[in-house]
Amino acid sequence: GAGVSQSPSNKVTEKGKDVELRCDPISGHTALYWYRQSLGQGLEFLIYFQGNSAPDKSGLPSDRFSAERTGGSVSTLTIQRTQQEDSAVYLCASSLVEGQDYGYTFGSGTRLTVV
Amino acid sequence: GDSVTQMEGPVTLSEEAFLTINCTYTATGYPSLFWYVQYPGEGLQLLLKATKADDKGSNKGFEATYRKETTSFHLEKGSVQVSDSAVYFCALGGYSTLTFGKGTMLLVSP
């Protein structure tokens, strides 16, 4: 597609429920990133996929968080047993190749509210 | 580890005023430096970047110079417009991921 697409744009869930957030990167982009944006906290790196390599999961805050990327394209971020502190905007980005010189293209994000 | 420090906002200016948003960083090696902008309700967009010391990135009237000696990458614009109201993020590039500052909100009034 023309840009990075994320769905849903907004999600309200009850504490303890599981949620799935979807990211559809730009076609042909081999690198895909998930970040979390919390009020006053900037952007927190969560996980990074590059081609067929094992993902860099070093930013995931707990084992309730997981992500997969199927066929090198669409990615799903799953949060199990959601907590109120998980409320944030979850941003996905993709880039043409690995490496910071190329910059990222971000989606509009999914605003998650845990009540 | 790598880190980015930005001035806290909001920065409130009148139209046509001069803008500076300070950004300093801590990193090993020689990272690339970026400014991203987030308009209300939208995702982040790359505004400008610089890949080595003394490089100047520029776009849409905004400029920033990569200063290795002061580990800074301050964002400037000579004359802001109402449409520049947004949140600005400074970031540095590691090997594969970006480290972002907390963002600075800019509010420009007519």
Side-chain angles (χ1 to χ4, degrees):
Chain A
V4 177
S5 177
Q6 291 188 247
S7 62
S9 54
N10 282 283
K11 176 72 175 178
V12 180
T13 189
E14 292 182 352
K15 179 181 173 182
K17 300 282 190 182
D18 297 353
V19 294
E20 287 189 351
L21 312 179
R22 176 189 168 103
C23 173
D24 199 344
I26 291 174
S27 178
H29 278 196
T30 59
L32 186 147
Y33 312 81
W34 284 97
Y35 282 79
R36 178 167 68 177
Q37 183 178 18
S38 304
L39 191 63
Q41 296 301 314
L43 274 75
E44 174 188 7
F45 166 73
L46 297 177
I47 189 169
Y48 157 61
F49 296 89
Q50 168 56 33
N52 296 320
S53 302
D56 177 355
K57 304 180 183 180
S58 60
L60 294 179
S62 77
D63 58 8
R64 296 187 295 106
F65 288 73
S66 63
E68 62 177 20
R69 188 178 185 192
T70 54
S73 180
V74 173
S75 177
T76 302
L77 177 68
T78 301
I79 308 173
Q80 296 178 309
R81 305 181 302 281
T82 52
Q83 304 295 314
Q84 288 186 328
E85 60 262 29
D86 299 335
S87 296
V89 176
Y90 289 81
L91 292 170
C92 176
S94 68
S95 66
L96 184 58
V97 293
E98 180 180 30
Q100 27 84 353
D101 285 355
Y102 294 90
Y104 297 175
T105 300
F106 278 88
S108 297
T110 294
R111 181 175 297 278
L112 175 66
T113 303
V114 181
V115 298
Chain B
D2 295 349
S3 67
V4 175
T5 303
Q6 291 181 234
M7 60 189 293
E8 290 192 21
V11 173
T12 304
L13 296 173
S14 298
E15 205 165 26
E16 298 183 2
F18 183 86
L19 168 72
T20 299
I21 299 178
N22 290 337
C23 171
T24 57
Y25 67 90
T26 301
T28 54
Y30 304 97
S32 292
L33 300 173
F34 304 81
W35 277 100
Y36 280 80
V37 58
Q38 186 177 34
Y39 298 103
E42 299 184 13
L44 277 74
Q45 303 173 25
L46 178 63
L47 180 60
L48 55 84
K49 69 177 184 180
T51 57
K52 61 183 186 296
D54 300 324
D55 268 2
K56 177 184 285 187
S58 62
N59 186 25
K60 300 181 180 179
F62 291 89
E63 294 183 340
T65 301
Y66 189 162
R67 300 289 188 195
K68 181 170 175 289
E69 63 276 13
T70 55
T71 61
S72 65
F73 193 55
H74 304 322
L75 182 68
E76 297 181 334
K77 186 175 186 182
S79 176
V80 293
Q81 304 301 310
V82 173
S83 57
D84 293 327
S85 297
V87 180
Y88 292 81
F89 292 88
C90 184
L92 69 85
Y95 176 69
S96 56
T97 60
L98 295 181
T99 299
F100 288 85
K102 293 186 177 182
T104 303
M105 180 178 288
L106 170 65
L107 300 172
V108 181
S109 57

